[in-house]
Amino acid sequence: MARPGQQQFYNKLEAILTELPWYVEEYIDKKRRKLSAASLLNYCHDFKIFFSWLLSEGFFEGSMKDVPLPLLEKLTTQQIEDFLSFLKFELNNKDLTINRKLSALKSLFNYLQNIAETDDLQPYISRNVMAKIELNSVKEDQETTANRMEGKILIGDEYEQFRAFVANDYLQIVQDDKKKVNFYTFNRERDTAIVSLFLGSGLRLSELVGLDISDIDFKKSCARVIRKGNKEQYVYFSEQAMLDLLTYLEIRNARYKVEKNNKALFISAPMGPKGKSRRLTPRAIEKLVEKYAISFGKPSLSVHKLRHSFATRYHAEINDVPKLRRQLGHSSVQTTMIYTHIKNEDLKNAINKLNMPKD
């Protein structure tokens, strides 16, 4: 079930797909599970510019929707360079924008050559001209990196909304699938505690995976972690993370049938002939975050993006770079400075008010 904002993007996506070739629609369908509707819509806009250019240059006489696959197979590297020059000098696209459009085309052509196949198991195209074209060399400054990151992290109310989604609202998404309902109900407290701890501390995936129960200081709301360089550090986490941890620990031993010698904080469901539970693996945590992110309508959200989300919020509310650097365990302050360039909701709202008509 798409959220209202997402549904608008889906509607626009369906409309633009009616103008594009069938193989583009097939490619987009394959990407729906991994990319947001907004990202897919951007891809389609980029594809439309490319196919429109093909028609304007006389490569094909007909509609955009009917551009055949053999035409793509016969394009030369010089013709693609001409298209990139068109983007730069006719559309005034910057190098980063050109790279984005080129990346979208590279992904499409890669699908046509290496993933899609005909009924007789042949690739859609045997020659991929886009594989021969290099992206522009662009060195991002901190503000550019921050702006690119901003659309992929939790901003403003999304911070609480995502935690609440994992804690409760996900059930509405899977309510018609008994297997998923049972799996979610079994792991709800654990998954909520994991997401809450990421959002409330900014821990790295490896740091969270390695936590034992004895590493948690319940009086001071902090955790003992081993950071990069094998350095030991105590990292503070939020009150909400503490509450979610305590809720999880109330059911941990009985529900997961934890053996006394298993001190891992986060445990997998009992597996194997003997039904033993074990420490959750990094990949298992990545997959559970990915599952909730896709259902939440923000498929680009990952474990690392949860860390970025924490850092962005921390800086917006506290504005203390040295403390944030220590909390995140950065060796260089320059890495931490990226978060000072990400716009927060208060700044956006203040700017929006400047544009409001006066009475």
Side-chain angles (χ1 to χ4, degrees):
M1 182 185 298
R3 296 186 296 170
Q6 285 287 308
Q7 190 59 52
Q8 292 181 7
F9 286 118
Y10 279 120
N11 293 340
K12 293 179 181 179
L13 179 63
E14 296 303 324
I16 196 172
L17 281 173
T18 62
E19 304 177 52
L20 294 167
W22 64 269
Y23 45 86
V24 174
E25 183 173 4
E26 181 181 298
Y27 164 81
I28 292 296
D29 283 341
K30 297 294 184 183
K31 289 288 186 178
R32 285 180 189 267
R33 187 175 64 83
K34 294 185 177 181
L35 296 175
S36 68
S39 295
L40 294 175
L41 184 60
N42 285 333
Y43 271 41
C44 286
H45 282 304
D46 293 339
F47 296 151
K48 187 175 179 179
I49 291 172
F50 174 68
F51 285 105
S52 295
W53 178 81
L54 289 178
L55 298 183
S56 68
E57 292 295 310
F59 288 101
F60 179 71
E61 294 183 2
S63 71
M64 188 186 310
K65 191 171 183 65
D66 296 326
V67 173
L69 282 167
L71 172 60
L72 305 186
E73 201 170 37
K74 295 177 181 178
L75 290 171
T76 66
T77 55
Q78 183 56 56
Q79 288 165 344
I80 300 304
E81 292 293 347
D82 290 343
F83 170 66
L84 299 181
S85 295
F86 164 76
L87 294 178
K88 184 168 186 176
F89 299 112
E90 297 294 327
L91 299 188
N92 296 317
N93 286 172
K94 295 181 179 179
D95 285 346
L96 276 173
T97 304
I98 294 173
N99 278 353
R100 193 202 72 214
K101 289 180 167 64
L102 182 54
S103 293
L105 288 169
K106 279 177 170 288
S107 180
L108 172 62
F109 275 62
N110 177 68
Y111 170 78
L112 298 176
Q113 181 190 38
N114 298 314
I115 300 175
E117 55 188 19
T118 62
D119 291 339
D120 56 352
L121 305 182
Q122 296 300 309
Y124 283 2
I125 60 174
S126 59
R127 178 177 169 277
N128 178 1
V129 66
M130 292 299 173
K132 302 180 179 183
I133 307 298
E134 294 183 357
L135 296 172
N136 292 313
S137 179
V138 179
K139 186 176 182 180
E140 292 185 346
D141 58 21
Q142 290 177 337
E143 185 169 3
T144 301
T145 303
N147 289 337
R148 178 169 52 81
M149 186 191 305
E150 186 177 2
K152 300 179 181 180
I153 63 176
L154 299 172
I155 297 291
D157 294 341
E158 288 182 332
Y159 198 89
E160 281 82 11
Q161 288 171 358
F162 185 62
R163 184 212 153 268
F165 180 81
V166 176
N168 297 296
D169 300 340
Y170 178 76
L171 185 59
Q172 298 176 16
I173 304 293
V174 299
Q175 59 184 343
D176 296 328
D177 188 322
K178 186 176 180 180
K179 184 177 180 180
K180 290 183 179 180
V181 168
N182 291 338
F183 190 80
Y184 169 67
T185 304
F186 187 88
N187 294 303
R188 182 206 303 250
E189 292 85 356
R190 182 200 66 186
D191 293 357
T192 302
I194 289 172
V195 168
S196 192
L197 190 54
F198 276 131
L199 289 175
S201 67
L203 287 176
R204 295 183 176 91
L205 175 60
S206 60
E207 295 165 353
L208 184 136
V209 168
L211 286 174
D212 290 335
I213 294 180
S214 59
D215 291 325
I216 306 298
D217 187 327
F218 294 96
K219 292 182 179 180
K220 296 181 179 179
S221 293
C222 64
R224 173 188 170 273
V225 299
I226 304 300
R227 314 219 85 150
K228 288 184 176 181
N230 205 31
K231 297 177 182 178
E232 179 181 297
Q233 184 181 332
Y234 281 86
V235 178
Y236 290 96
F237 51 84
S238 68
E239 182 179 346
Q240 182 63 63
M242 173 61 81
L243 293 174
D244 290 334
L245 270 177
L246 291 173
T247 300
Y248 159 65
L249 288 173
E250 288 178 1
I251 57 90
R252 172 184 175 275
N253 291 345
R255 186 174 300 173
Y256 292 91
K257 300 178 181 178
V258 183
E259 296 181 338
K260 290 184 179 180
N261 62 348
N262 190 341
K263 305 301 181 182
L265 178 58
F266 293 113
I267 299 292
S268 67
M271 298 174 63
K274 297 183 180 180
K276 284 189 175 183
S277 56
R278 51 181 63 90
R279 185 187 300 271
L280 267 182
T281 65
R283 182 58 188 143
I285 292 179
E286 286 178 329
K287 288 177 68 175
L288 77 85
V289 170
E290 180 181 272
K291 174 185 70 175
Y292 291 120
I294 291 172
S295 296
F296 183 68
K298 202 144 185 168
S300 60
L301 192 63
S302 63
V303 168
H304 200 57
K305 296 301 187 299
L306 294 182
R307 175 172 160 87
H308 289 324
S309 299
F310 164 82
T312 302
R313 182 159 186 162
Y314 186 103
H315 174 71
E317 295 187 359
I318 299 179
N319 192 20
D320 189 323
V321 173
K323 286 183 179 178
L324 177 57
R325 176 188 176 187
R326 184 186 184 282
Q327 180 75 17
L328 296 175
H330 286 158
S331 57
S332 169
V333 72
Q334 294 302 317
T335 306
T336 313
M337 288 297 291
I338 290 173
Y339 301 103
T340 67
H341 295 276
I342 296 180
K343 307 175 188 72
N344 61 50
E345 288 300 300
D346 291 338
L347 179 56
K348 288 182 180 179
N349 292 337
I351 292 174
N352 287 338
K353 288 179 180 178
L354 294 176
N355 298 322
M356 292 178 64
K358 297 180 180 179
D359 294 334

